[in-house]
Amino acid sequence: AVRRGDLVRPERCERCKCVPPRDRDGRSAIVADHEDYAKPLDVTWLCRECHTETHLDRGDAVPRKEPDGRIVWTVYLDASPGKGSAKK
């Protein structure tokens, strides 16, 4: 949707109002949060920290530790850990 021009990614997080630094590869650190995946154009633009906090507040994100020690969050699309599809 962003590439097609249907959505425009802002520079500022809509939750905390920060302007996060870009990733090392130059990509924006602002991500689209979908409260309802059935409405793909209805998004809230968040920095990664606020995006993680939002999913934790909703109870649809579960942390797991990778073999290399990194923490990876799995977001459950149906908000029921252990059921349905998961998205990394």
Side-chain angles (χ1 to χ4, degrees):
V2 173
R3 282 186 232 145
R4 283 193 319 264
D6 296 336
L7 293 173
V8 176
R9 185 187 318 268
E11 293 293 318
R12 186 174 304 277
C13 174
E14 292 181 12
R15 183 174 176 190
C16 72
K17 309 301 182 201
C18 77
V19 178
R22 291 189 167 268
D23 291 344
R24 287 182 291 211
D25 62 4
R27 293 176 55 191
S28 175
I30 297 291
V31 296
D33 176 64
H34 298 85
E35 189 167 344
D36 182 350
Y37 286 97
K39 300 175 183 173
L41 298 179
D42 186 8
V43 300
T44 303
W45 295 102
L46 303 172
C47 65
R48 289 201 176 96
E49 185 174 328
C50 285
H51 191 229
T52 299
E53 289 175 8
T54 297
H55 281 286
L56 289 173
D57 291 346
R58 279 190 213 136
D60 63 359
V62 177
R64 65 180 168 80
K65 195 170 189 176
E66 292 284 292
D68 65 3
R70 291 179 303 125
I71 301 296
V72 177
W73 295 90
T74 300
V75 176
Y76 290 90
L77 300 180
D78 67 355
S80 305
K83 294 185 193 174
S85 17
K87 179 179 178 181
K88 266 188 180 177

